[in-house]
Amino acid sequence: MTQDITQLSDARVFGGRLLRLRHESATLGCAMTFALFLPPQVEATAGTTVPVLYWLSGLTCTDENFCQKAGAFRLAAELGIAIVAPDTSPRGDGVPGDPDGAWDFGLGAGFYVDATEQPWAAHYRMHDYVTRELPELVEAAYPVNDRRSISGHSMGGHGALVCALRHPGRYKSVSAFAPIVNPAAVPWGEKALGRYLGPDRARWAEWDACALIATATERLPILIDQGDRDSFLEAQLKPQNLVAAADAVGHPVTLRMQPGYDHSYYFIASFIDDHLRHHAAALLG
């Protein structure tokens, strides 16, 4: 399997290694780049494998935003947790972007759904990529095991919630920063779901955390941090909708409104350690 992966870089960080990697994705029909942080424990003892936190980034981001700005690797190294950060969408020649060149759809904005409409269906299958192809690749090629958790920011927070809710038992824990919890009811989501999935709103519910939580067969506790000075809070994020949907069915959700924080990676860096510990409690027992 390693022969199918091209290593772009390898940096030592807090005793571990941060790899930037590229492979040809059969799911997405293009080359995909992702980052993998391996903590020092995998080098300390031969045969050691570690659990993995999958991080899904937001609109316009690549695999590099989290790696450069979140400040997650010091504690991840201490805890012994690997982190995988994929890109946010397919890219390359032949991959369609927004026809108007907008930043909130297409390239950099895959929305972690499996598109069914043309011309998007051939490439925009980020959900299948994140939940199936990428973990299979990483687990076959690197010293990690199948104990997985998932987190993300904004569009990626939406992706993390949907991945966990649609795949009971696949993840040990889930969390999100400023997630789009109800995409079927906000402009970003309406644009993305309408184009990727078509006009039938009943199909959108399959990709909306507020709808999915009602019939979830696993009540995995959800941790959410949200800044109260986030400029997208009222129009795009609406965390109160998820809390209401969760309360209606007894699904455990902790929503922490953080005074004075915005939507940026300064906000993420301020609380990333809490999320890493949340995941470590589930991944490491």
Side-chain angles (χ1 to χ4, degrees), residues 174-191:
V174 59
S175 75
F177 289 83
I180 305 169
V181 302
N182 197 181
V186 302
W188 279 342
E190 289 177 327
K191 179 177 181 178

Side-chain angles (χ1 to χ4, degrees), residues 12-35:
R12 180 68 72 181
V13 54
F14 297 113
R17 296 169 62 203
L18 177 60
L19 308 177
R20 196 162 189 245
L21 306 158
R22 181 173 293 154
H23 74 110
E24 290 293 330
S25 169
T27 302
L28 303 178
C30 64
M32 287 295 288
T33 300
F34 68 96

Side-chain angles (χ1 to χ4, degrees), residues 124-143:
Y124 285 82
R125 300 186 56 80
M126 285 298 296
H127 179 82
D128 189 26
Y129 176 71
V130 165
T131 60
R132 183 190 58 81
E133 185 181 20
L134 184 59
E136 289 178 1
L137 182 77
V138 172
E139 290 165 20
Y142 296 97

Side-chain angles (χ1 to χ4, degrees), residues 104-105 109-111 113 187-198 204:
D104 58 354
F105 181 83
F111 250 83
V113 302
W188 279 342
E190 289 177 327
K191 179 177 181 178
L193 300 182
R195 289 184 176 182
Y196 290 137
L197 305 175
W204 299 6

